[in-house]
Amino acid sequence: MSENSTANGRTPVDFWFDPLCPWAWMTSRWMLEVEKVRDVEVRWHVMSLAVLNENKLDEVPERYRELLAKAWGPVRVVVAAQQKHGDEVVGPLYTALGTRFHNKGEGPTPEAVAAALADVGLPAELAEYADSDAYDTELRASHKEGIDKVGQEVGTPVIAVPGADGEQIAFFGPVVTPAPKGEDAAKLWDGTLLVASIPGFYEIKRTRTQDPVFD
């Protein structure tokens, strides 16, 4: 399978997420809408807020440090599921985790992780990997792949889309809430491809004035 097409001939979009991040969750729900209205297919990958910030914990607020302490477990469970059951389980498990963490407000608790595994029919014992570094090498490799594409001064989500010459261009974002649906989802996708087609384009940004809207 090439970087420019999936097995069924659709345009691939590579998406790196940490299940803890509500903004990545918003963007991921947008990408699922894009799959309905454009000939694209999302390929899901993990990145880790814990890994991203592990060398600068003294620079982040205490409240965020407490959140980062909880970030290892869910992403480790996703990587363990991927390693044991294949790439195809990553997207459904992310949806199950995000629905419980964000939409249902359960947060990244062991109970929510266990319930998410049950929601998608994965073995309950995968939850034990939340406290295990058994697949941290694979976790870090996936994280590095995404960060190497986009650069160090970003967070999650990272998406990689086709650029002007057919090579993938990676961005942090788009950061959006609520997740656009239907034609709005299509327009945002088309705009993302448009800016990706411009050599030397790097960033558009404004201050967020709204919290994530989960629906």
Side-chain angles (χ1 to χ4, degrees), residues 53-75:
N53 291 281
E54 64 182 345
N55 294 322
K56 49 186 177 182
L57 289 176
D58 57 343
E59 302 173 15
V60 302
E62 182 178 354
R63 180 171 174 271
Y64 192 53
R65 286 200 298 272
E66 293 173 356
L67 181 67
L68 291 174
K70 303 175 182 177
W72 283 105
V75 76

Side-chain angles (χ1 to χ4, degrees), residues 45-47 73-86 89-90 93 126 129 134-140 142:
H45 313 272
V46 296
M47 63 181 295
V75 76
R76 279 172 164 169
V77 171
V78 175
V79 173
Q82 179 187 37
Q83 293 300 309
K84 289 178 170 292
H85 300 278
V89 306
V90 176
L93 180 55
L126 285 171
Y129 286 92
Y135 293 113
D136 279 9
T137 298
E138 290 80 2
L139 187 162
R140 289 177 181 276
S142 180

Side-chain angles (χ1 to χ4, degrees), residues 104-196:
K104 295 184 177 180
E106 297 176 16
T109 64
E111 294 79 10
V113 171
L117 289 168
D119 289 342
V120 293
L122 286 169
E125 56 264 27
L126 285 171
E128 298 172 7
Y129 286 92
D131 299 314
S132 169
D133 63 1
Y135 293 113
D136 279 9
T137 298
E138 290 80 2
L139 187 162
R140 289 177 181 276
S142 180
H143 176 90
K144 183 177 186 298
E145 182 185 14
I147 288 296
D148 282 353
K149 286 179 177 289
V150 75
Q152 294 295 321
E153 300 304 317
V154 301
T156 176
V158 169
I159 64 170
V161 304
D165 58 1
E167 296 298 315
Q168 283 191 321
I169 301 295
F171 295 114
F172 163 64
V175 176
V176 62
T177 190
K181 296 179 174 61
E183 185 55 30
D184 284 342
K187 287 192 293 186
L188 180 55
W189 170 251
D190 294 343
T192 301
L193 291 185
L194 177 61
V195 297

